Amino acid sequence: MEQRENRQPAGMLDNDSHSSSRHLLDGTAQTLRELTGGAIAELRIERVVVGVFFTGVKLSNGCGGVAYTPPAQIKRAGVEILKGSSQVIKGMEVTRVLAGELVGPFAEIVRLSTINALSVPFFNSGRYAVDSGNDISGFDQLFSGRRVCVVGAIIPLLKRLRSLGTAETVIIDQKEDTTFEASLGRRVSLGQTAEALARCETAVFTGASIANGSLPRLLAMVPADAAIAVVGPTAGFIPDELFRRNVALVGTVIMHDSDRALDVLAEGGGAYQLFGTCMRKINIRNVKRIRELHLAGSNQTKRRNAS
C-alpha cells in the first residue's frame, strides 16, 4: 500500500480504457447506493484534485478518497482535452458521478476516487472485518513458505516478505530501470506474467491495476486455490466485488484529513507524504475465503486474539 502503486505492468496488461474494471466498479457503486440510501442524493463533490501521482476527491460530507492517476491517462489527456468542452466537477451530484455522467480524460479516475470516498463510513460500521495500523505482511500465513508473485515492485513490502521467508518471491514490474536487491526476489519479464501467476500460491496486486483496468485479467491468471491480496490507496472501496472474485485480503487506507491530503496531491505529492498525516492503513479480511484456504491461523490472528 505504498506510493509505488505505479509499479504496474504495462503493455499487454494495460488498457486503453477502464472497461475491464468497469464491471467491478459498477457493482461497487450499486452496493454503495443501497447502503447509503436516500442520503446519497444530498451528496456533492466539494473538491477534486488531479495530481501527478494520485487523484483525490472530497465530498460534501467531509469524506475523501484517492486513486492512482495512470501515466497513460495523463498522456492521453493532452490530446483529449482539446477535443471538447470540460465539465465543472465541483458541486456535481455524487449520483451523477456514480452513473458515469462525468466526461473528460480523468472521468473514470474521479469516479473511482468518489467511490473510495463514499466507502469510508462503512469501514467503521462493523460490516467488514477491518484491522488497522499494519500492512498485509502482518498476515504471515499468506506468505511464509509460499510461492509469492508480486505484480509491482513495492520495495518496503518486498523487504518485509523477505523476513517472512517465502518459498519464492517472483516480481513483475513494468519499468526496466526499477532496481532492487537480488535477495528480495526473482524478477521476470512482462511476457512471463501469466506463467508466473499460474505457479504462485499467493498473488499480490497493487491498486493501480484497478485504475488501469488490468486487474480482472490478472485475477484470471491466478490458480483457483491461490491466495490473492490487493494493496494500495486506490483499493479503498468497499470490498464486496473483490471478495466475489476470491480476493482474500485488501490492504488500503482511510483518509482522515481530506483537505490536507488534497493539498499534498495538488503540490505533486504522493502516498508516502499522506501516510500518518492524512490517512491511516487498514486491512480488510475476506474471512470466508481465508478459511477456505486454511490460512486463518496467522500470527496476525493470534496477536488479535491475545489482545
Side-chain angles (χ1 to χ4, degrees):
M1 129 186 21
E2 318 295 340
Q3 176 173 333
R4 296 179 77 166
E5 245 187 0
N6 61 341
R7 300 303 191 184
Q8 192 65 261
M12 72 172 186
L13 298 182
D14 252 352
N15 276 352
D16 290 332
S17 70
H18 303 270
S19 58
S20 291
S21 290
R22 187 157 293 156
H23 289 303
L24 186 156
L25 297 178
D26 284 350
T28 302
Q30 180 57 34
T31 302
L32 284 168
R33 291 186 191 96
E34 295 167 1
L35 292 175
T36 307
I40 197 171
E42 305 299 322
L43 293 175
R44 301 287 188 274
I45 303 294
E46 182 171 309
R47 187 180 174 195
V48 60
V49 170
V50 179
V52 178
F53 301 108
F54 284 86
T55 293
V57 164
K58 178 186 177 184
L59 305 182
S60 54
N61 64 359
C63 293
V66 298
Y68 172 65
T69 310
Q73 195 65 28
I74 295 174
K75 184 177 180 180
R76 285 194 295 269
V79 176
E80 293 178 17
I81 204 167
L82 301 175
K83 294 181 178 179
S85 59
S86 61
Q87 290 176 288
V88 176
I89 302 174
K90 183 177 180 179
M92 192 173 187
E93 296 94 334
V94 165
T95 52
R96 293 183 59 199
V97 176
L98 290 188
E101 295 182 25
L102 180 63
V103 297
F106 300 104
E108 289 296 332
I109 301 304
V110 172
R111 183 185 188 230
L112 177 51
S113 300
T114 302
I115 287 172
N116 288 347
L118 277 171
S119 297
V120 170
F122 301 104
F123 294 134
N124 297 318
S125 69
R127 177 181 173 88
Y128 305 103
V130 177
D131 303 293
S132 299
N134 298 303
D135 92 2
I136 63 169
S137 63
F139 294 84
D140 57 355
Q141 289 282 103
L142 273 67
F143 306 103
S144 297
R146 295 169 66 88
R147 295 190 302 275
V148 178
C149 183
V150 180
V151 182
I154 310 170
I155 304 301
L157 175 60
L158 290 171
K159 289 181 177 179
R160 288 188 280 274
L161 294 183
R162 178 177 58 187
S163 69
L164 293 178
T166 64
E168 177 186 42
T169 301
V170 174
I171 304 162
I172 304 168
D173 193 274
Q174 68 167 347
K175 294 189 177 181
E176 295 182 359
D177 59 352
T178 300
T179 59
F180 47 82
E181 305 167 47
S183 62
L184 294 181
R186 175 173 63 89
R187 183 172 188 162
V188 301
S189 68
L190 294 179
Q192 296 174 285
T193 298
E195 178 185 352
L197 288 172
R199 292 188 66 254
C200 77
E201 295 172 292
T202 297
V204 180
F205 303 115
T206 67
S209 63
I210 302 167
N212 68 24
S214 63
L215 182 62
R217 281 179 288 169
L218 291 167
L219 292 175
M221 300 176 188
V222 179
D225 59 351
I228 302 171
V230 179
V231 297
T234 303
F237 49 86
I238 56 172
D240 304 56
E241 292 298 320
L242 290 173
F243 286 179
R244 289 190 184 101
R245 291 160 173 80
N246 284 334
V247 172
L249 182 65
V250 178
T252 188
V253 300
I254 292 178
M255 192 182 297
H256 55 77
D257 190 338
S258 300
D259 283 318
R260 184 173 180 181
L262 268 59
D263 286 342
V264 171
L265 299 183
E267 295 177 1
Y272 285 138
Q273 289 75 38
L274 301 180
F275 290 134
T277 59
C278 309
M279 59 190 188
R280 61 182 174 88
K281 296 180 180 180
I282 62 170
N283 294 303
I284 315 165
R285 292 172 286 122
N286 183 347
V287 176
K288 178 182 177 182
R289 180 59 176 166
I290 291 173
R291 287 174 179 166
E292 288 174 350
L293 296 170
H294 306 290
L295 297 173
S298 68
N299 285 345
Q300 179 81 13
T301 303
K302 292 175 184 176
R303 285 195 297 270
R304 203 166 38 246
N305 291 341
S307 61

